[in-house]
Amino acid sequence: MNALESQLSYAFGETIPAPGAVVDIVPGLRWARMPLPFALDHVNLWLLQDDVEEGGALRTGWSLIDTGAGTDATRAAWEQLLADGLAGQPLVRVIATHCHPDHVGLAGWLCERFAAPFWTTTGEFGFMRMMAAALPGVDGPSAIPHFARHGLRDAAMLDQMGSRRNYYPSLVPSVPLAYTRLQDKQDVTVGGQLWRVITGFGHSPEHAALYCESRNILVSGDMVLPRISTNVSVFAVEPDGNPLQLYLDSLGKFADLPDDVLVLPSHGKPFRGLHTRIRQLREHHVERLAEVLAACAVPRSAAEIVPIMFRRPLDAHQLSFALGEALAHLHKLWYDGQLTRATNADGVLVFTRN
């Protein structure tokens, strides 16, 4: 446990669910964990015992929050979970916090298997449909001119990034064709309890966290994680975006929640100390912004900022996010008037401290 983690309280200690198994959080709320084929090797899922009206009758089973990626390992873990962890009851609703593959990869498969409705925000639903179709603008090849414009000139790395045309569809093989809309401040009844939707921005188009006041529980998705900072990136589809500002502003939407709320994050372990963790995340970005601003005493591209922010070797997958995050910090400083942006003689966008 690092120094920042020691300031948080882990409600279940070192306990984590085994693949295909569950841990009870409170009666009627279970925690499952699915494997991921990345350095970040897991995603947490949440299951709430629920009754959903269907055709004038109540259908009893489980409402699921997030699904895991569409991989063979995750499907195998789901088969075990369905056989052993859900008391033989079906899924009656699938809820997605956001559109990233580890959260919706098996949404189509599970919704079809159980004839379960799909719930998410409009921003997330639209974006997952775009990416599942590998539409130009959100596919791998669209990233090439974007990253080249920001200083990445390694031909082999650009070729690897461009070859990822089917990256999202490979992990999200199907998306439900219809959805029920979640909106900010909406109260949704799940498992007989009211859950308030708290939308957030910067990490994804319209991320939905869920807060239950009666149980003092927050399903935070990727907006607040206990050990790592949420990725905040500028991507080709929104090349002049300011996602870091959006993310920091979104953290303020959790200000009215109790500090002892039990936070159920998408990665890491359930914890208490929400406001401590938000302060840590804000301080982290203040430090990174200061680091980037100092580096821009001379003109710097986003590619030149990456090794300053990430002091380790990066593969193509990691580099795409690192470049996006470097650019998010540069853009916030640029929008704040602390940096000037210009195109250099090589056609690369560079940023210089004012």
Side-chain angles (χ1 to χ4, degrees):
M1 182 179 294
N2 62 39
L4 293 181
E5 282 187 286
S6 68
Q7 298 174 31
L8 307 177
S9 173
Y10 285 101
F12 296 87
E14 296 303 311
T15 299
I16 58 172
V22 294
V23 169
D24 287 319
I25 299 294
V26 294
L29 172 54
R30 292 179 172 177
W31 169 23
R33 176 176 279 211
M34 294 294 169
L36 292 176
F38 314 122
L40 181 60
D41 62 2
H42 72 276
V43 62
N44 297 324
L45 317 180
W46 312 101
L47 292 140
L48 297 100
Q49 205 153 34
D50 203 6
D51 294 315
V52 173
E53 186 176 348
E54 186 178 283
L58 287 180
R59 187 181 184 204
T60 298
W62 298 88
S63 281
L64 168 69
I65 302 177
D66 291 340
T67 71
T71 66
D72 290 342
T74 303
R75 285 188 184 87
W78 259 112
E79 294 295 354
Q80 185 177 346
L81 180 62
L82 292 168
D84 302 332
L86 302 186
Q89 294 181 323
L91 299 182
V92 296
R93 170 167 40 188
V94 176
I95 300 170
T97 59
H98 63 296
C99 65
H100 294 161
D102 46 334
H103 300 264
V104 298
L106 290 179
W109 181 64
L110 291 168
C111 286
E112 183 177 356
R113 178 166 178 165
F114 292 100
F118 183 56
W119 292 48
T120 192
T121 65
T122 295
E124 300 298 331
F125 184 71
F127 228 77
M128 69 181 74
R129 292 294 300 272
M130 288 166 59
M131 291 190 290
L135 295 180
V138 295
D139 60 346
S142 299
I144 302 269
H146 174 66
F147 288 140
R149 186 176 182 231
H150 287 286
L152 182 61
R153 295 302 171 95
D154 183 325
M157 188 64 75
L158 285 170
D159 186 60
Q160 286 185 55
M161 290 178 172
S163 68
R164 288 154 43 98
R165 178 183 297 274
N166 293 315
Y167 169 73
Y168 190 90
S170 72
L171 295 173
V172 187
S174 66
V175 173
L177 299 181
Y179 76 111
T180 298
R181 182 184 301 198
L182 296 177
Q183 299 182 82
D184 192 43
K185 300 180 182 177
Q186 176 185 3
D187 286 329
V188 178
T189 300
V190 185
Q193 307 288 328
L194 286 180
W195 293 78
R196 185 175 98 215
V197 178
I198 304 173
T199 56
F201 306 91
H203 176 64
S204 66
E206 193 184 1
H207 183 292
L210 296 160
Y211 170 61
C212 181
E213 182 177 8
S214 62
R215 288 192 157 181
N216 200 26
I217 292 174
L218 170 68
V219 177
S220 65
D222 275 358
M223 288 301 292
V224 184
L225 303 173
R227 184 177 177 87
I228 60 175
S229 61
T230 299
N231 178 260
V232 179
S233 286
V234 175
F235 292 112
V237 71
E238 191 183 358
D240 289 332
N242 191 6
L244 181 53
Q245 186 65 62
L246 292 174
Y247 176 73
L248 294 172
D249 290 346
S250 295
L251 290 178
K253 298 173 77 170
F254 299 101
D256 66 335
L257 273 56
D259 191 48
D260 66 348
V261 65
L262 178 60
V263 182
L264 306 183
S266 291
H267 309 284
K269 296 171 293 192
F271 71 96
R272 290 188 172 90
L274 172 66
H275 298 300
T276 296
R277 183 55 184 153
I278 288 174
R279 174 180 53 78
Q280 292 173 354
L281 290 167
R282 291 188 183 279
E283 290 174 353
H284 164 79
H285 287 294
V286 167
E287 292 169 2
R288 295 291 80 75
L289 288 164
E291 193 173 48
V292 171
L293 183 62
C296 290
V298 297
R300 299 277 192 179
S301 68
E304 291 173 317
I305 293 297
V306 167
I308 295 169
M309 293 182 64
F310 301 91
R311 300 177 180 90
R312 63 182 187 276
L314 302 172
D315 60 24
H317 176 77
Q318 294 165 331
L319 181 58
S320 65
F321 287 105
L323 268 167
E325 185 131 355
L327 193 49
H329 286 76
L330 287 165
H331 273 198
K332 175 165 168 52
L333 293 166
W334 174 47
Y335 279 107
D336 287 348
Q338 298 186 68
L339 295 178
T340 297
R341 189 177 79 170
T343 302
N344 69 12
D346 295 324
V348 172
L349 286 173
V350 293
F351 298 81
T352 311
R353 188 171 67 194
N354 290 332

